[in-house]
Every structure is written in structure tokens, then in C-alpha cells.
Amino acid sequence: MKWYSQNTNSVLETLETSRISGLSEEKAQLRQQEYGPNRLEAAKKEPAWKLFLKSFKEPLVIILLIAIVLAFASAAYDFQVTGDRQHAMASIYEAVAIMLIVIVNSSLAFHQTRSAQKSLEALSNMRQHHMHVLRDSNWISVAASDLVPGDIVSVKSGDFIDGDLRWLKTAELQINESHLTGESDAISKDTEIVSEDTELGDRTNMGYSGSMVVNGNGIGVVVATGMDTELGRISNLMQDIDDQKTPIEKSVHGLSKKLMIIAGLIILLTIGYDIVKQLMQVGNVSLESLAGISSTSIAIAVASIPDAMPVVLSIVLTIGAKMMADQKGLVKSLSSVETLGSTTYIASDKTGTLTKNEMTVTRFWANGEVYDVEGNGYTPVGDIIRTDGKPVNPKDYQRFLEVAVLNNEAEIKPDDKQNWRPFGNPTDVSLVVLGAKQGVKRDALLEDRGNHDIDIVRILPFDSTRKMMTVVIKENGKYYSLTKGAPDVVKDRTVSAMLDGQVVDIGEVAADIEGTMLAFANNALRTISLTQREVTRDQALNAPSEELERDLCFLGLVGIIDPPREEVRTSVKKLTDASVNVVMITGDHAATAKAIAKQLGIIKSKAARVITGKELEGMDDAQLAEAVLTTRVYARVTPAHKQRIIKQLQQHKQVVAMTGDGINDAPALKAADIGIAMGINGTEVTKDAADLILLDDKFTTIEKSVESGRTIFANILNFMRHELTTNVAEVLSLLLGVFLITAPIGHITEVTPTLTALMVLWVNMISDSLPSFALGYDEAEADVMKQQPRDTNQSILANGMLSRVLIRGGVMGGAVFIAFIWAANQGFSIAQSQTIAFLTLVFGQLWHVYDARSTKTLFDRNPFTNSRLTLAVGFAATSSVLVTLIPFFNQVMGTAPLSMGLYVGIIILSALPTFILSGIKKLIWRMREGQNDDVVEYD
Ligand code: ADP
Ligand code: MG
């Protein structure tokens, strides 16, 4: 028999489980072994060898492979035709060395890609769904993957269902299972048996893996997990980690392509130029000179491609994602790391994110009087006193308190240290505490079977669009609908009020209530009205919320304090300095919102504009567009309004981060550039829709993530500056050799390249990429949070990057060429001259790293704060000198040992370009600043 066509008892029996105590932990373990984890099998991973081979498709590797073939061909030619064994061996060495480099390079790329993937996987494991499961009689939170058949689970609005369930108990339960049925409306669920031939979409007593609870709550027993679920049956692919390219990766990719084309043109031009020159001078082209030309072009090809860049880039972004996770901000994709850094608006929920969500009722209005409530936190101890000092009569607020705890699903319990701990919705917890202070408790009310008999009939949970919650009770044979909610929403549905046990027309107290509510709100209190209404049995059982929540009788009003988080003020200040606008969005009353916004520094004065949900509805897109840039507080909004606000901000090309906690917030989170969900109090649905999850629910974590995003981006620019400068220098020094050396100088002929291909490779692989990688770990430059957000529409080469790279690279390349010519003039051998050029390049570049590391100049940052960089530079310097000394490398790379004096001279002189250029820049800036002082008004 199918699960849905038998009664719940026989389902529980078949699954050998209990509705009361659930499975034992032991049994769950055994079943976990039997059934495996509750997970869909992921798409087959790419095998390692394929991943490895992938790197061979990189343009640079292809060029190197061609170089290998050319070198072997040249060796074969020497063996067969010229008989120059020595030259042949040199070519073979070269080929083997390039091959080794290709392999090392591929392995490195492979290893780094794998480890980046691993840490991304680790991050994605951190955001697994959790479910509320009954084990050994205790409700505990269990990772969805640990669910086994027979588990009893409880779900509520905003949860995902993982595993197929048979419902045992439901309350207003509605489920969206469009992923299986295509039906986009939510389906109401109950526990009634349906016939065996019922279609999946009509099996109303079942819940299916992957669906969303959109309303109410329910308890069910797991009947299938993992690939045995309906979802598992239709899909054998699971959506894997999103490995889309980030915007910056895309632009770097585009840049690489452009560089390839430029390199190709340069090479063609060089070869053409050389051949024409030969033809004009000698009348024909010798094979030997062709070999020379081809080795120069190989060197240029290698020189012009910043080969380490893509790998370093993705690693640096991964470092960023890890860095954020360490600070409790969990990003889902690498592009969010980047986007966070360019965020211009952060729209945050008030409750729980900007405030502590530790709600306490401090005042209330009932029976025409205002009362103060004493006591702190969740401890249910505190007196109730009248603000006018007169003695209180508890009877005056008895019913009011009863409704407060009956229209409520929250609880407080003492822990082992006798501290009271809250469970459930914080707003409702505050009402539980209020009631308990006077001995009014929900359990006691429901248990008392004497002359007073109360049962809960239905619960219509709070939702942030309705802004109300209703509980229907049966009390001594009569039915009452108890409604509590936002005062202004409740007001329109209220017709009467309770005064001294009598029902009076609302007109008698309306002004008093309204005045009290405003007074509470102006004092930053969150307000809630409590009402009741007698209904018929039929209404009690079946009426929808619209019908129940009207013709209400007013009982009272509470004012709840929800203190702002202290650290938020500092974060708001920091973000404001960083030109990031902080906006508060709340379902609370405008006056409450304004008072808190003022306390947090989001607005400077109480005169600031607040847009309410109602006003927002009256505005068309154009009007809203005009207002969004300057409005800092939105009150009484519903989740749907959030989407409009985002859209209008995006029209202004703003990068918007938006927080959300409830299920209705999911679309807004998707629409935002950065959707932010709460890790602790957020629903699973919002976590799923978000780009950033705040593991500690704190606003400050957003601020830290923005800072990390900016730091990472700055580091990326830094290493790109470094790499591209080197490429320009390499290409230029080689080109100058081709075009300016027209006759032999000393031992050097007109086809001798300034650097050998292997020297260029060495520079790219060792002295270039290691420090680049280290730059990725750099801490933030002092002023990342003082600058404007990055303009995402701008090319990465904008803002002086291109000119800086061309100038630095040009000067460095010129210096290398001058060193080469100088050496040739001094009569050094080819190998020695090239070695001098090589070391000039290596050290020029290592000095330059410290300049590239700053958006300003070399002199603006302490060079020793990044120990990885110090290490990388030290290693690059030492190993580059060693390869000129060790005979093996001399053979392979074409290097030669130099005199002590030369080494020292090169190391010192190669610092000159960087120091001189940085100095000039510093001077120009000084002068400009001086000028700016005079013209500051025009700025
Ligand atoms: P926010 O999350 O921005 O504080 P909510 O949507 O949670 O906004 O709340 C909006 C209003 O709804 C509150 O000001 C309060 O009046 C009312 N409200 C909040 N929680 C509850 C609840 N559990 N029951 C009844 N009314 C509530
Ligand atoms: Mg809320």
C-alpha cells in the first residue's frame, strides 16, 4: 500500500517509529548506514586527468607546445645538416626545460583549482539545510543530509522540506511543490487518507522533498530520503556549486584575448620586419637567421601573456570568500566577493539586524490606563504599576494578558543555570514574559479543566504582509477569534473596545489609543494591538483570515523595547565614510523606525523623510525613483515594497545589498545585487535565495564583508598592475632589440634576443607569479573604507591603471634594454649580456612589487607588513641569482655567472626606475594638493 492511502498509525508502524519519541539516535545511525545520506547524487565530477588536460588548452600552453616542437626541429636540423652537436644539445635542453615548465605549470594550476574547489565545497557545506527532528523524545536541529526514513520532523512557514513526508498533523499548512507539479499556487495539506491512484499533485497528506512551506506548520514522518524521493526519481543531477565566471574574471579573460591578438600582431610584424631586412641586406634568408628570428618571436609570445593571472585571480577571490567566512559572512559565489566591494546601498531590516531582537514589553495600555512593566530580559519577574502612581487592579488587564499569551506560540524555559531562555518569535516571547510576570501562562490556561475550559482551534500565523496573527479558541463552549497585530492595521478593523468589562464603541477611546500608540512609537517602542471577537462555530473552523480579522473588539496595546545593537552605530559611521548608504527597512511604525534610525546615526535629524508602505503604494515608479536616493527610512513596508525600492535604486545604477528574513523576502533577495539572509533567525528559503548569509545575524558583518570585498578587489588590482607592468617591460625590451639593433655590437648580432625565451618564462613563473599570489593576501590599505565605491561600469584598466602600467613597464623595459646594450658594448658574451638584462628585469620587477602594492606610491605603505610577500620576494631574488651561477641552468636558460660587483650594481641600479617614478608622482601629488588648497571651493 502507498504511504498516502493508509492511516498514520500503520505508516508509523511500518516505519518502526513513534510519534511521541521519534527514532532513537542509535536507530537513526543504523538507518543512515542502510539508506545512506539524504542527498541527491551530484552530477559526476570531472575526473582529475580531464581537469589536468584542460590547462593544456590555455593559449600560453599552446604557444609553449609550439616552441617545444620548434626547438626539437632545430635540434634535428643541427644533427642532420650542420652537425653542430653542441647547438643541437642546447636546443634539446631548451625543449625539455619548456616541457618541464608546462608540466609544472599545469600541475600548479590543477592543484590550485582543486584546492579552491575544495574550500568552496567546504563553504557550501556550511549552508546545508537543517530540519527540526524528534529523536529520543527531544526536538533537535539535524542537518538535512542526516535525515532517515522514520524520522519525525516538524516544519513551519519558510522551511524547506528535505525528504518525502507523510503528514501526521497540520495547521493551516500550505506547501509550494511547483518543482514537481508545475503548479505555482501553494497546496493546502492535511492528514486525510487519499486513494491509491491519486496523482502526485493531489496527494494532500504528503510533503515532497524540495518543496517550500509557505504557510502554517506541520509534523510529518519521513518515508523516503535521498534518491528514493520523488525528486530523486526525476532528477539525477544536483545543481552543483556555481562556478560561473565573476565579472572581473570575465574582463580579465577579455583582456587576455586582446593581449593574445596584440601579441600575434607584434610577432608577425617582427618576423616580417626581420625577413624584409634580411632580404634587403643579404638578398636571401638563411635558415640560421630564421631560427634566430623564431626564438625571438617565441620569447615575445611568452612575454606578452600574463599567464599566471587567471589562476592567481580565482585563488585570490577564494581567499576573499574564506576571509569573509572567518568573519561570519558566508558568500555563495565568488562574484559576490567582488560585488560586495562595490556596494553603494545597504538596505537592512531593522528588527534583529540593527536591533538586538531581545524584546521586552515595558509599557501597555489597557482598560483606559497606561501601565509600566518592571523587570529586565526574559526573567518573568517584575511588577506592573500605573504611570499615575495609583494602585493597580489586576482584573483590569486580566483578559488582555490572557489574549497576549494565547495568541502566541512562543515559550520561555529555564536552563540548567536557571537562566530563562526564549524559544520562538521574539515579539511573542516578550508577551509570554509579560503574562508570566502576572502568573498568566498559556499552558495553565489550556490545562485548567474546571469551570474554565479553553482549547486552541486554529492558528493563523503572523505574516509580514498581513502584519497580524490570529488564534481561534473554544472557551466554555463559545468560539473566539483572538487577533493581534500592528496598531494601524488593526485600527481599521476594530469596531469596539473593552472598558470595565463592558463593550463600548471604539469612538470613545480611539483618540486615547492613538495618542498612546504615537507616544510609545516616538520613544522607539514597537507597538502591537490586542483584540478579540466572538465567532460562530463555522467561522471558527473554516473562515479565512480576511473574514476573521474584522469587527474586532480592542483590548489593549503593548509597547515593546528592542534595543539597538551598540556596534551598529560604528558600522553605520564606517559605511557612511566609505560612501555606502545605509537604509532601514521595517514593518514597524514610522515613528518607531525614525527613533531607532536616529539612535543609530542612519538619519541625522528627526526631520528626515520616512516613506511608509502606504505612501509608497501611492507613488509611481518615477516618483519613487526621485525619492530613493535620499530616503534612509522606510516604515510599515511589506516584502513586495522591497522589490520596488531595489528596482528604482538599480535604475540609478546603484549596487544594492538587501537583507531579508521571512519567506516573502526571497524575491527581493534575488532581485538585489547582494541578497543577504540571516543565518540564525532566517528561514531556509531566504538562505537559499541569498548571496551572503550572516552567520551571526549581525549588521556589522555586512560592513566587514564590504571591507573584505574592497580589500580583495584592491589586491586584485595590485597584482594585475604588477603582472601587466612586467609583461609590458618584457615585450618592450625584446622589441627594442629587434628594431634598434641593426648591426652587431660586440658579440651580439642583430638577431640576438634581449632575453631568451626561458628567461622570460622564468620571470613569468617565478619572480612574477609568486609575489602576485602574495599580494592577494595583503591586508587592507589604510583607506579602503575612506574611498568611493568602485564604479562597476568602468574597465579595470581605467583610473590610471593603464597609464601607470605603460609608464612603469616602459621605463622598466627601457632600462633592461639599456643594460643589455651597455653589456654588449663592454664586450660581454651573449650569455652574459642576456643575463645582465635578465637580472635587471627580475630586480626591477621585485622593487616594483612594493609600488604596485599601493594605490598611491611605494612610500605610502610599510613594505614589511605582508610576510608572505617578503618571503616570495626573497625566494624569487635568491633563486634568480642562483640560476645564473649553476652550470645546469646556464646550459638550459642561456644564463652565465657574473662578477660580484655586477650583481650588487644591478640590484641597486634596478631600483632606480621605481624610486624615481614614485618620487615624481609623490611630488606631483604634493603640488596638486597645494593647488587644491587654494581652489577648494570649486570642488
Ligand atoms: P520588522 O521585522 O521590520 O520589525 P515585522 O513585519 O516583523 O517588521 O512587524 C511589523 C509589525 O507587525 C510590528 O510593528 C508589529 O506591530 C506587528 N507584529 C510583529 N510581530 C508580530 C506578531 N508575532 N504578532 C502580531 N503582530 C506582530
Ligand atoms: Mg520581523
Side-chain angles (χ1 to χ4, degrees):
M1 246 205 300
K2 305 281 194 215
W3 299 115
Y4 45 86
S5 59
Q6 46 185 313
N7 67 29
T8 53
N9 281 339
S10 84
V11 171
L12 290 170
E13 231 162 76
T14 318
L15 291 166
E16 291 170 39
T17 183
S18 148
R19 165 77 182 77
I20 315 296
S21 56
L23 291 176
S24 68
E25 207 50 68
E26 214 176 319
K27 222 172 184 182
Q29 288 277 327
L30 285 174
R31 290 198 185 177
Q32 176 82 243
Q33 275 163 23
E34 185 181 344
Y35 294 96
N38 177 27
R39 214 182 279 144
L40 299 185
E41 268 149 39
K44 276 229 174 64
K45 281 234 177 68
E46 235 173 328
W49 61 270
K50 240 185 178 168
L51 206 66
F52 183 72
L53 281 186
K54 236 185 189 171
S55 63
F56 286 95
K57 280 196 262 172
E58 293 284 322
L60 174 89
V61 176
I62 293 173
I63 288 177
L64 292 182
L65 290 177
I66 295 173
I68 292 171
V69 174
L70 280 179
F72 273 128
S74 157
Y77 174 80
D78 277 335
F79 275 131
Q80 297 295 321
V81 185
T82 63
D84 183 346
R85 281 189 64 88
Q86 213 187 341
H87 194 250
M89 282 315 288
S91 299
I92 286 178
Y93 276 141
E94 186 174 73
V96 171
I98 298 180
M99 250 153 78
L100 271 177
I101 283 174
V102 169
I103 291 171
V104 169
N105 182 51
S106 299
S107 322
L108 221 74
F110 171 70
H111 172 75
Q112 288 176 326
T113 315
R114 279 292 284 261
S115 70
Q117 262 179 7
K118 283 223 181 84
S119 48
L120 279 184
E121 267 168 25
L123 290 182
S124 79
N125 281 339
M126 283 171 73
R127 30 168 250 264
Q128 253 215 52
H129 295 160
H130 279 78
M131 291 201 83
H132 225 53
V133 179
L134 187 63
R135 294 248 176 106
D136 287 322
S137 304
N138 286 320
W139 286 105
I140 55 172
S141 171
V142 167
S145 60
D146 291 341
L147 225 57
V148 293
D151 264 329
I152 308 288
V153 299
S154 134
V155 300
K156 57 177 190 313
S157 161
D159 282 347
F160 270 111
I161 296 179
D162 291 284
D164 289 355
L165 311 176
R166 166 73 156 90
W167 296 115
L168 305 174
K169 189 187 150 197
T170 60
E172 311 296 324
L173 184 64
Q174 287 180 3
I175 306 267
N176 184 322
E177 46 197 35
S178 57
H179 67 300
L180 291 175
T181 59
E183 165 67 55
S184 61
D185 287 337
I187 318 269
S188 292
K189 296 286 182 178
D190 50 40
T191 55
E192 304 289 311
I193 294 174
V194 294
S195 72
E196 200 151 335
D197 54 3
T198 314
E199 295 286 329
L200 191 139
D202 297 323
R203 296 176 201 157
T204 47
N205 60 15
M206 295 286 291
Y208 289 106
S209 200
S211 28
M212 252 187 311
V213 182
V214 296
N215 192 49
N217 46 50
I219 290 177
V221 55
V222 177
V223 297
T225 58
M227 295 308 284
D228 300 332
T229 61
E230 292 295 330
L231 181 63
R233 242 171 257 177
I234 58 164
S235 78
N236 34 27
L237 294 188
M238 195 185 61
Q239 195 182 342
D240 224 358
I241 305 156
D242 163 10
D243 58 354
Q244 270 182 345
K245 281 201 161 46
T246 77
I248 177 128
E249 283 183 310
K250 278 187 206 142
S251 41
V252 164
H253 208 71
L255 189 68
S256 296
K257 268 198 193 142
K258 274 185 210 144
L259 285 176
M260 280 269 297
I261 295 171
I262 295 176
L265 288 178
I266 292 178
I267 291 164
L268 284 181
L269 207 81
T270 322
I271 295 178
Y273 170 85
D274 261 340
I275 291 177
V276 169
K277 198 171 76 180
Q278 295 262 327
L279 284 175
M280 282 176 26
Q281 281 173 354
V282 201
N284 65 4
V285 187
S286 69
L287 267 172
E288 209 183 329
S289 68
L290 256 189
I293 296 167
S294 82
S295 74
T296 307
S297 2
I298 290 172
I300 292 178
V302 174
S304 54
I305 295 168
D307 43 285
M309 211 142 83
V311 178
V312 179
L313 186 62
S314 70
I315 302 293
V316 170
L317 285 169
T318 312
I319 297 171
K322 266 180 153 167
M323 194 159 111
M324 287 180 183
D326 289 344
Q327 297 174 337
K328 307 278 180 230
L330 191 59
V331 288
K332 286 214 203 139
S333 72
L334 293 180
S335 32
S336 308
V337 175
E338 205 184 317
T339 317
L340 268 164
S342 54
T343 302
T344 58
Y345 275 80
I346 298 176
S348 172
D349 283 337
K350 174 180 73 63
T351 311
T353 313
L354 298 175
T355 64
K356 289 187 179 159
N357 223 358
E358 288 163 15
M359 307 220 189
T360 315
V361 176
T362 56
R363 319 186 79 185
F364 66 86
W365 181 103
N367 207 38
E369 293 297 338
V370 177
Y371 297 88
D372 277 342
V373 184
E374 300 188 318
N376 275 322
Y378 304 118
T379 314
V381 180
D383 282 335
I384 290 180
I385 51 177
R386 261 169 75 154
T387 43
D388 57 10
K390 295 197 180 125
V392 298
N393 178 5
K395 272 212 175 109
D396 290 345
Y397 43 74
Q398 178 66 24
R399 184 60 176 172
F400 164 79
L401 291 183
E402 281 176 15
V403 171
V405 297
L406 285 171
N407 184 318
N408 208 315
E409 288 191 285
E411 276 177 280
I412 48 168
K413 287 184 207 156
D415 62 15
D416 355 322
K417 294 192 198 85
Q418 292 302 305
N419 287 323
W420 290 85
R421 314 246 290 127
F423 294 88
N425 176 321
T427 306
D428 290 348
V429 167
S430 73
L431 295 174
V432 170
V433 174
L434 172 69
K437 283 177 178 170
Q438 286 291 306
V440 180
K441 293 181 185 147
R442 177 180 146 105
D443 287 350
L445 287 171
L446 293 179
E447 255 167 39
D448 180 6
R449 303 266 157 184
N451 54 357
H452 206 98
D453 187 11
I454 301 180
D455 286 309
I456 304 274
V457 178
R458 265 167 82 194
I459 297 178
L460 292 85
F462 175 77
D463 98 53
S464 46
T465 304
R466 246 166 69 241
K467 294 196 169 47
M468 288 183 290
M469 165 166 175
T470 292
V471 170
V472 182
I473 58 167
K474 185 177 178 197
E475 185 174 11
N476 296 335
K478 288 183 181 167
Y479 291 90
Y480 293 93
S481 167
L482 314 178
T483 296
K484 73 180 195 308
D488 31 336
V489 182
V490 169
K491 190 170 93 180
D492 301 338
R493 293 146 209 270
T494 307
V495 291
S496 58
M498 191 75 89
L499 267 189
D500 299 324
Q502 300 295 314
V503 175
V504 301
D505 188 79
I506 186 68
E508 281 187 35
V509 284
D512 187 12
I513 295 170
E514 183 70 13
T516 309
M517 193 275 287
L518 274 178
F520 284 4
N522 279 320
N523 277 312
L525 296 183
R526 184 176 170 84
T527 49
I528 292 182
S529 291
L530 300 171
T531 67
Q532 70 172 0
R533 173 192 172 194
E534 196 180 333
V535 291
T536 64
R537 178 169 187 275
D538 183 45
Q539 280 176 319
L541 296 180
N542 303 315
S545 61
E546 306 90 71
E547 195 182 324
L548 290 174
E549 290 164 350
R550 63 175 193 226
D551 301 337
L552 307 170
C553 173
F554 194 85
L555 295 173
L557 172 78
V558 291
I560 304 172
I561 186 168
D562 177 20
R565 292 176 186 268
E566 286 102 30
E567 72 286 358
V568 170
R569 230 191 122 79
T570 324
S571 293
V572 169
K573 170 95 178 45
K574 264 197 182 165
L575 287 165
T576 313
D577 288 346
S579 302
V580 180
N581 302 286
V582 180
V583 174
M584 171 193 281
I585 297 196
T586 180
D588 264 352
H589 192 273
T592 314
K594 215 184 230 185
I596 303 238
K598 175 91 198 314
Q599 286 174 15
L600 291 173
I602 292 174
I603 52 172
K604 298 275 169 293
S605 90
K606 281 216 177 174
R609 174 165 191 197
V610 174
I611 296 186
T612 64
K614 221 181 237 154
E615 281 166 7
L616 214 139
E617 253 149 41
M619 294 164 102
D620 62 23
D621 283 353
Q623 285 167 318
L624 183 59
E626 224 181 281
V628 280
L629 287 183
T630 50
T631 305
R632 292 288 175 274
V633 180
Y634 298 86
R636 281 287 186 251
V637 291
T638 64
H641 296 140
K642 288 187 174 180
Q643 269 165 284
R644 281 192 68 197
I645 298 169
I646 294 174
K647 202 175 133 214
Q648 290 314 320
L649 281 170
Q650 285 172 338
Q651 292 279 317
H652 287 290
K653 298 252 179 308
Q654 302 298 327
V655 180
V656 188
M658 169 80 78
T659 71
D661 50 9
I663 181 167
N664 301 334
D665 285 329
L669 295 197
K670 286 219 176 93
D673 298 281
I674 293 283
I676 306 174
M678 304 299 133
I680 304 170
N681 282 322
T683 53
E684 296 293 345
V685 174
T686 44
K687 283 186 218 171
D688 221 59
D691 304 295
L692 172 70
I693 299 175
L694 306 180
L695 296 176
D696 55 3
D697 286 14
K698 283 188 184 161
F699 182 79
T700 302
T701 303
I702 307 178
E703 177 242 315
K704 284 193 198 141
S705 302
V706 168
E707 179 164 1
S708 301
R710 285 195 180 190
T711 306
I712 290 299
F713 197 81
N715 288 347
I716 289 173
L717 289 187
N718 289 351
F719 86 70
M720 282 179 60
R721 199 151 39 218
H722 174 59
E723 294 232 330
L724 292 175
T725 304
T726 309
N727 291 118
V728 169
E730 288 168 350
V731 173
L732 190 75
S733 62
L734 287 164
L735 284 184
L736 288 175
V738 172
F739 290 100
L740 294 187
I741 303 181
T742 46
I745 312 172
H747 296 282
I748 287 165
T749 72
E750 57 269 50
V751 291
T752 314
T754 318
L755 302 158
T756 66
L758 278 171
M759 289 174 176
V760 176
L761 258 181
W762 176 269
V763 170
N764 283 359
M765 298 293 170
I766 306 293
S767 59
D768 204 23
S769 62
L770 287 181
S772 280
F773 195 33
L775 286 179
Y777 281 96
D778 241 335
E779 60 194 39
E781 206 172 350
D783 56 359
V784 280
M785 288 302 268
K786 297 259 156 35
Q787 292 162 359
Q788 295 278 325
R790 182 175 63 91
D791 181 353
T792 42
N793 301 311
Q794 239 174 24
S795 141
I796 35 175
L797 293 179
N799 271 333
M801 172 94 146
L802 186 61
S803 60
R804 195 164 158 182
V805 162
L806 288 179
I807 294 174
R808 306 283 156 135
V811 172
M812 209 192 292
V816 171
F817 180 67
I818 291 169
F820 181 64
I821 294 290
W822 173 83
N825 266 316
Q826 295 292 310
F828 283 106
S829 71
I830 291 186
Q832 281 174 325
S833 304
Q834 286 174 331
T835 302
I836 289 171
F838 167 66
L839 287 180
T840 308
L841 177 63
V842 168
F843 284 99
Q845 183 196 25
L846 293 180
W847 287 109
H848 172 255
V849 173
Y850 292 98
D851 182 65
R853 204 174 150 236
S854 168
T855 45
K856 297 183 198 119
T857 72
L858 170 75
F859 309 114
D860 290 281
R861 264 191 115 164
N862 176 350
F864 300 111
T865 50
N866 182 344
S867 55
R868 279 198 176 81
L869 184 62
T870 315
L871 218 82
V873 169
F875 176 79
T878 321
S879 60
S880 299
V881 170
L882 283 180
V883 295
T884 67
L885 292 171
I886 299 171
F888 171 76
F889 287 100
N890 293 158
Q891 280 266 13
V892 175
M893 287 174 61
T895 51
L898 305 173
S899 69
M900 190 63 192
L902 266 177
Y903 283 117
V904 175
I906 292 172
I907 292 175
I908 294 173
L909 286 177
S910 60
L912 283 181
T914 298
F915 276 83
I916 291 173
L917 285 176
S918 279
I920 292 175
K921 188 163 167 191
K922 192 101 191 157
L923 265 179
I924 294 179
W925 277 19
R926 282 258 166 84
M927 274 157 50
R928 271 210 215 134
E929 265 168 36
Q931 278 172 5
N932 281 350
D933 284 346
D934 305 332
V935 293
V936 82
E937 289 132 5
Y938 299 98
D939 247 347

